[in-house]
Amino acid sequence: MSTAAEAMADAAARLRAAGIASPARDARILLAHAARIDAMRVTLIAPEDLAPEIAERFEHLVALRAVHVPVSHLVGEREFYGRRFKVSREVLDPRPETETLVEAALAEPFTRVLDLGTGSGCILVTLLAERPDATGIGVDLSESACLQASANAVLHEVAGRTDIRRSDWFSDVPERFDLIVANPPYISRSEMRDLAPGVRRHEPEMALSDGGDGLGAYRRIVPGLADHLVPGGRALFEIGPTQGKAVSGLLAGAGFDVRILPDLDGRARVICARMG
Ligand SMILES: C[S@@+](CC[C@H](N)C(=O)[O-])C[C@H]1O[C@@H](n2cnc3c(N)ncnc32)[C@H](O)[C@@H]1O
């Protein structure tokens, strides 16, 4: 038997030894989940020994985390732009770098938005929650992702303004938009080998990589933009840190004015293209 503080310290040490990057934070979130309380309230667990059923649940969660199962899959949710999104192993975990794309999109004028490769729906749902006058369509090739995005639209009360469809990029989207956003799979086949084990083993490959040089999705999406934007409409893409030149080239070649927007660390992670 041990107290909450002892159990957390022990778990953090085991997670550190297993190569987990944020062991103390993860131990805290998992203990909160095992105790069915909010992570901010973990310190409120009474200082006496943990109840056996909480200790058992915690032990199980820590064992899974130690083999690099993502925390979000263990607790079933992940925070993105101040909201909690339901996630599963069928969709990409929303990433902090994608908040840069959301921030850039919110600086643009739009009332009708298309999110290509919507995954958990984190981008589309956030944009609609932040812009109560907007409506949007989210598409994904994965049926499971479509279900997850729909559930998150309901959770954040934007379902009435959201249309989620299964589509191969633009294949089932005849409409035009004033904003198109996409965080497509942009990791190349060779970069996949260097990914952290938790990402490589537990996140859907279709959400991460095109199986080629990482630019395949942009090559397919860019030629469809002009037919899906209104005059003056914008497209915003998340890109890999080394892809700025290549993706700008594709967009400029299709007749767009292009700006590269740096993230908080000054790295090029978002491209904004404007139709003339
Ligand atoms: C990098 S994930 C982005 C998910 C989510 N938008 C986010 O930012 O967290 C890319 C998404 O594109 C979807 N996808 C891959 N190929 C696709 C295709 N041909 N057509 C539509 N969606 C596709 C994947 O299923 C995945 O959900």
Side-chain angles (χ1 to χ4, degrees):
M1 295 279 263
S2 55
T3 64
E6 288 164 351
M8 260 198 305
D10 174 60
R14 282 162 54 203
L15 294 179
R16 188 172 299 107
I20 299 296
S22 49
R25 175 185 161 275
D26 292 3
R28 181 190 180 86
I29 294 172
L30 296 178
L31 181 59
H33 189 66
R36 309 206 198 294
I37 60 171
D38 193 277
M40 300 302 284
R41 302 178 66 229
V42 159
T43 47
L44 300 181
I45 296 179
E48 56 263 20
D49 288 343
L50 278 183
E53 67 276 12
I54 296 179
E56 199 177 314
R57 278 201 295 270
F58 183 49
E59 177 57 35
H60 180 64
L61 292 167
V62 171
L64 289 170
R65 183 64 187 129
V67 292
H68 294 258
V69 178
V71 172
S72 55
H73 294 183
L74 297 173
V75 305
E77 61 182 27
R78 169 96 175 218
E79 192 174 311
F80 180 81
Y81 211 80
R83 293 181 179 82
R84 288 186 182 176
F85 284 81
K86 296 287 174 203
V87 295
S88 70
R89 56 179 307 130
E90 311 284 351
V91 294
L92 188 88
D93 252 12
R95 303 289 206 274
E97 49 269 35
T98 305
E99 293 178 337
T100 304
L101 174 68
V102 165
E103 197 73 54
L106 288 171
E108 301 293 337
F110 69 89
T111 54
R112 194 146 171 73
V113 56
L114 170 66
D115 178 19
L116 293 166
T118 197
S120 64
C122 61
I123 300 173
L124 181 67
V125 168
T126 303
L127 293 179
L128 296 184
E130 295 288 324
R131 284 284 175 80
D133 58 334
T135 59
I137 296 178
V139 301
D140 207 290
L141 193 57
S142 152
E143 189 68 51
S144 312
C146 290
L147 292 172
Q148 191 76 80
S150 300
N152 280 317
V154 171
L155 180 68
H156 293 296
E157 301 179 350
V158 298
R161 295 183 282 126
T162 308
D163 177 356
I164 304 289
R165 294 181 196 164
R166 183 163 185 271
S167 175
D168 183 1
W169 301 132
F170 292 113
S171 70
D172 285 70
V173 185
E175 297 93 335
R176 284 185 186 264
F177 303 86
D178 34 29
L179 178 68
I180 296 178
V181 290
N183 172 20
Y186 56 69
I187 298 175
S188 70
R189 193 153 65 151
S190 56
E191 287 167 335
M192 283 292 282
R193 285 194 288 270
D194 300 329
L195 285 184
V199 177
R200 206 175 47 236
R201 282 188 222 136
H202 298 284
E203 298 209 60
E205 191 166 338
M206 184 169 93
L208 295 167
S209 175
D210 62 353
D213 66 356
L215 296 169
Y218 304 107
R219 284 194 200 97
R220 288 194 55 207
I221 291 171
V222 169
L225 289 175
D227 286 342
H228 291 87
L229 283 169
V230 300
R234 272 91 159 159
L236 269 87
F237 297 99
E238 180 169 322
I239 53 168
T242 61
Q243 292 174 326
K245 212 170 149 199
V247 181
S248 301
L250 287 173
L251 287 161
F256 287 87
D257 297 328
V258 184
R259 269 183 308 141
I260 297 185
L261 310 173
D263 68 7
L264 292 175
D265 297 323
R267 295 170 309 173
R269 297 308 305 270
V270 175
I271 286 202
C272 179
R274 188 171 188 278
M275 217 175 130

